[in-house]
Amino acid sequence: MRYLDDHVQIERWSSEEFCIPYRSPIDRRMHRYFPDFWVEKANGEELVIEVKPKQHLIPPKKPKRQTAKYLREMKTFVVNQRKFEVAQEYCKNKGMKFQIMTQDELGIK
C-alpha cells in the first residue's frame, strides 16, 4: 500500500473493492475472487493488481510420494491460475490491465 501511496503516477487506488466470479477447477462450484487492488494512474489507465509470493506463481515440485503439503500447494496453484485467467478476461472486457506483483516488483526481500 505504501508503494501505491508513494508512486508518482498513481492517482487513486482501492483495496478489495470488487469481486470477480469464477468456477473453481477443484470443486467446480462458483466462487468470488477479490483482487487485491484497483489502481487508476495519472494518465487514466486502470489496473487490477494481485500481490502474491513468487513461489505461488510456479507449480510445486512433485515429490516422490504425494504428501498433504504437495496436494495443498498444488490446489493453491491451480485455483490461483484460474483466478488469474478470469481476472485477465474481466480486465480485458473492462478496458483495464491485470498485473501480478511479487516481492521482486515491490522491492521486498
Side-chain angles (χ1 to χ4, degrees):
M1 292 175 186
R2 254 187 258 133
Y3 176 87
L4 296 171
D5 283 339
D6 295 342
H7 202 286
V8 175
Q9 295 179 345
I10 303 299
E11 191 71 28
R12 297 183 305 155
W13 64 270
S14 63
S15 175
E16 297 185 348
E17 288 291 319
F18 67 97
C19 71
I20 302 171
Y22 74 98
R23 185 172 304 280
S24 169
I26 303 298
D27 64 13
R28 304 279 186 227
R29 294 175 50 205
M30 292 302 294
H31 295 266
R32 297 183 308 163
Y33 164 46
F34 291 85
D36 292 328
F37 300 100
W38 167 85
V39 173
E40 181 181 10
K41 294 172 77 174
N43 66 3
E45 181 181 30
E46 293 182 60
L47 305 168
V48 172
I49 298 174
E50 181 66 24
V51 179
K52 285 284 184 235
K54 190 168 35 178
Q55 64 267 24
H56 286 193
L57 303 179
I58 55 174
K61 291 182 182 177
K62 188 170 184 172
K64 290 183 180 181
R65 61 182 189 88
Q66 273 192 350
T67 62
K69 179 182 180 213
Y70 169 75
L71 293 175
R72 198 171 43 253
E73 289 173 352
M74 183 54 88
K75 177 183 173 187
T76 298
F77 175 76
V78 169
V79 169
N80 280 341
Q81 291 302 302
R82 181 63 185 142
K83 289 178 184 179
F84 303 156
E85 289 169 9
V86 171
Q88 195 77 264
E89 186 68 25
Y90 176 90
C91 289
K92 181 181 173 186
N93 291 338
K94 300 277 186 181
M96 298 186 284
K97 291 185 180 177
F98 179 68
Q99 181 177 354
I100 301 169
M101 297 183 82
T102 68
Q103 60 270 31
D104 293 344
E105 288 85 10
L106 297 172
I108 300 169
K109 295 184 181 191

